[in-house]
Structures are given as C-alpha cells and as structure tokens.
Amino acid sequence: MKDYKSIENLLKANNQEHIIDFLNKLDGDKKDKLIRQIEKIDFEQLQELYENTKREVEIKENIIETIKYSDKEKLSYEERNRYDSIGEQIIKSNKYAVVTMAGGQGTRLEHEGPKGTFKLDIYGKGKYIFEILIDNLKQANKKYGVTIPWYIMTSKENDEATRNFLEKNNYFGYDKNNIILFMQSELPLLSLEGKLLMGKDMKIKEASDGNGGVFSSLRSTGALADMKERGIQWVFIGGVDNVLAKLADITLLGMTVDQNLEIGSKSVVKDNPHERVGVFCKMNKHPKVIEYTELPSHMAEEVDNNGELKFGESNILCHLFSINAVEKISKEVLIYHTAVKKNSYINTEGKEIIPSEPNSYKFEAFIFDAFDLFDDMAILRVKREEEFAPVKNKEGADSPKTAKELYEKYWSRKEEKK
Ligand code: UTP
C-alpha cells in the first residue's frame, strides 16, 4: 500500500482534494479500504474521459449506407424451415447459451434493487422480471429437451442483491448449476465538475462500465472459459429489461448460421422517421447502430421502393454472437461514451445529497460498437408488439405500465390462438 502522503499528492495532482477531507475523517479499516480504492483508480484514463465530455462531438466524414435485413414475416416457407431446423439442431445439441446483461444501474426506473428484482404488475399477482426471463428459458428448454445455460452479468453494485434474490426464490425452479453469475468491471463516476463522488459507505462511487463491458468481463471472470468447456458455439446476449424478449429464437440463430455470419441481431421497425432510437446501418462498410442524433434528418426520412424507411431497423438489444466472435471482441478495447445520470453522494459535511436532476457522468462502452469489428451481420426484423416491451422509465413511455399492457396483450393473443 502506498504511504498516506503519496495518496494525498495523487489526489491533489488530480484536483480531487475533497477526498483528502474524507480520508482525514476516517481511520482503521475504512481508511485503508478507501486508500486501496484510490490506488486502483486510473486517473489518467479518468481525466481523458472527463475531457471528452467537454469536447465537441467530432463529425467525421462517415459513409453511411443501408444494411440488409430480413423480415421474419416475409421469409419464404422454405427459408423459414431451413433456418428453424438449423437453429433447432444447435440448441438441441447443447451448443447455445444465453447472457442477460443486468449490470446496469436502472436509474430511470428508480427501483430499489437490481432491475431483475422489479415486480411487474401482471395478471393481478405480478411477476418479477427475472422470473419472466426464466419462464421464457424454461419454455425453450421444454421445447428442445435441454437446459440452456444462463449467464447473468451483474455489477459490483448489484451482484450480492441479485444472488440473494435468486437464491431466496430458489432460482424460480431453474437448475441452479445452469445459472452462472459474473461481474462486470467498473469505472468511477464523476460530478459534472469532474470530481469523484463519495458514497454513504465511505467508498468512492463507481458504476458498471456499460453493456459493452460484457465481452471483456465474460473473459476475465472465466465465464467464457466455462462456455467453451460446455461446448457452447452460439451466445445470445440481451438486456434484462425487455419482458417480451425471446431468448432462444431458432430463426435468428439458423439465419445467422445459414448466411455464414458470426453475429446476428433483431430489429423492430421505427415508429416514425424521427423516433429517438438507434438504427442499424453500415458505416464505413461495417455494421453499426447509429444514434438518432448522428443520422442526418434527410436520411432518417428516406424511403426505398417499397415505401419502407431505409434506416428504419431499430436496435432492441437482442444480439447473437458465435463463441469465436465473443472471444475476438473480448480482446479488443471498445470506446467509452458518456451518460449523464442521477447519482446520490455525500458532501464534505457528511450530508447525503439526492439529486433531482442528472448530476454525474457515467462512462459506458456499448455492446454494438463491437459490430464494427466485422464486415457484416444478419438482421432479422421482428414485430414490435411481439418482441419488445422494455421497462426503462418509472412512468410514461417504456415504463412498467406500457410493458404490462404489451405483455398481457401478447399472452392473451397467444392463448386465443391455442
Ligand atoms: P440501459 O442503457 O437501459 O441502462 O441498459 P440501465 O442502467 O439499465 O438504466 P438507466 O439508464 O440507469 O436508467 C441496457 C441494458 O444493459 C445493461 C442493463 O442492465 C440493461 O439490461 N447494462 C447497462 C449493463 O449490464 N451494464 C452496464 O454497465 C450498463
């Protein structure tokens, strides 16, 4: 451990003197822990990330082109059968795993605890989000006669709570040996003025480093090695908060294999040309999800010969990767983006500040930046009302209320069809 003086100097040199005040008020174990945490911070990286928040976004001369997709509804009978039987065969031979990324903070939902532990008010009794996902996996297991290994990415912030919750609920009847939790890495949060934030527990506040952290975390935690040991060839990676996500879609899987590609993804059609969502495209000849802010307005409105938006395939965070692709990406460094989020902290008087407005920078790598490492990917357009019901905000759009409606409508349609 570095001596106290050099820690002080380090903090001063990086404009973090307020942390010295906290250190001076601590002793014993708590002080040692804080010092050890400070030692681990890469201040150079943090400074660079903070400077990036002030930098004007560089508009490079990018070549933005459309990307090919297939509409699940419009596949020919022959194509659909071919894809489905390829996909089915892979799942049946235990070569398929699912990763759920649940390391996010879920700040917009304002739920106390990991998002998966949120109970969605469906059918009177309610169901936890994790339970909904497990139900989906169980259905697939029954259909294909296997137990799909389920990897859950947590963060330091929510790992314990996630483990305890699943344990307490007896993994909702899922085989415990096929649920593998792994933790993603973190980066410190910074105030809008570039200061480290102190938490109630007298630790510097850190948060998960974005869903793009999934690849390196799979590798560093040994989860990737575990997949390989089990003979996994294909990995579905999705978010925790889409309660209509189909975790084992044989059509997407078979189509990606059939097209001889290493990555695949699902899309839903944009609601309107200016919906604030990221859409699939090719940028500089590589697949990419382009943010609505980056897509020139005239391009957002362009339609093809069939009257469809040329850039209308929005990303719903349902991705598929070959194990080799996961391995390849895990060795690369993805860039960090900045998100401005609400994070509580304590001030130097020891008072807890709970912000009503976003007050801090969180640095996040995005999973879709990995697409750039490939020449092409398979995209399957699916129906929004069948596959996309996100729980993001406390109220309004993409909230528990909208997700409940979508979920109940979908399942009652399914029942009617039976
Ligand atoms: P979001 O971007 O919606 O973020 O994550 P969030 O943290 O859940 O919610 P807000 O923005 O704070 O309200 C999309 C998916 O990526 C996961 C989330 O758990 C969610 O499933 N994620 C996000 C991670 O696993 N790690 C991260 O660091 C960030």
Side-chain angles (χ1 to χ4, degrees), residues 241-246 266-269 275 277 314-318 382-392 398 402-403 406-407 410:
D241 47 19
N242 175 9
V243 295
L244 282 182
K246 309 258 169 305
K266 285 192 180 174
S267 67
V268 299
V269 182
E275 194 190 358
V277 290
S314 51
N315 169 32
I316 56 168
L317 202 53
C318 287
V382 295
K383 283 189 178 167
R384 185 185 284 253
E385 66 277 18
E386 289 185 359
E387 306 215 15
F388 192 46
V391 181
K392 295 279 182 200
D398 300 341
T402 56
L406 287 162
Y407 184 93
Y410 172 77

Side-chain angles (χ1 to χ4, degrees), residues 234 252 256 259 261-265 287 319-322 325-326 329 370-379:
W234 288 92
L252 175 71
T256 309
Q259 294 181 359
L261 294 168
E262 291 204 71
I263 49 174
S265 208
H319 307 309
L320 179 76
F321 298 85
S322 72
V326 173
I329 305 164
F371 300 160
D372 192 44
L373 300 166
F374 299 82
D375 291 334
D376 208 355
M377 67 188 288
I379 294 174

Side-chain angles (χ1 to χ4, degrees), residues 101 103-108 153 184 208 210-211 239-240 341 392:
M101 300 181 294
Q105 288 189 296
T107 53
R108 287 169 288 169
M153 181 166 83
Q184 73 172 111
S208 45
N211 58 34
V240 69
K341 299 209 175 195
K392 295 279 182 200

Side-chain angles (χ1 to χ4, degrees), residues 113-157:
K115 215 187 245 187
T117 69
F118 180 81
K119 197 173 203 176
L120 195 64
D121 165 34
I122 40 177
Y123 300 129
K125 221 167 114 243
K127 246 186 197 188
Y128 297 105
I129 293 185
F130 276 137
E131 189 180 2
I132 293 174
L133 299 180
I134 287 179
D135 279 355
N136 192 273
L137 283 168
K138 279 190 193 161
Q139 277 169 6
N141 289 346
K142 200 166 150 207
K143 204 161 166 190
Y144 306 119
V146 292
T147 304
I148 296 174
W150 188 33
Y151 296 80
I152 306 173
M153 181 166 83
T154 62
S155 65
K156 222 189 254 175
E157 243 179 323

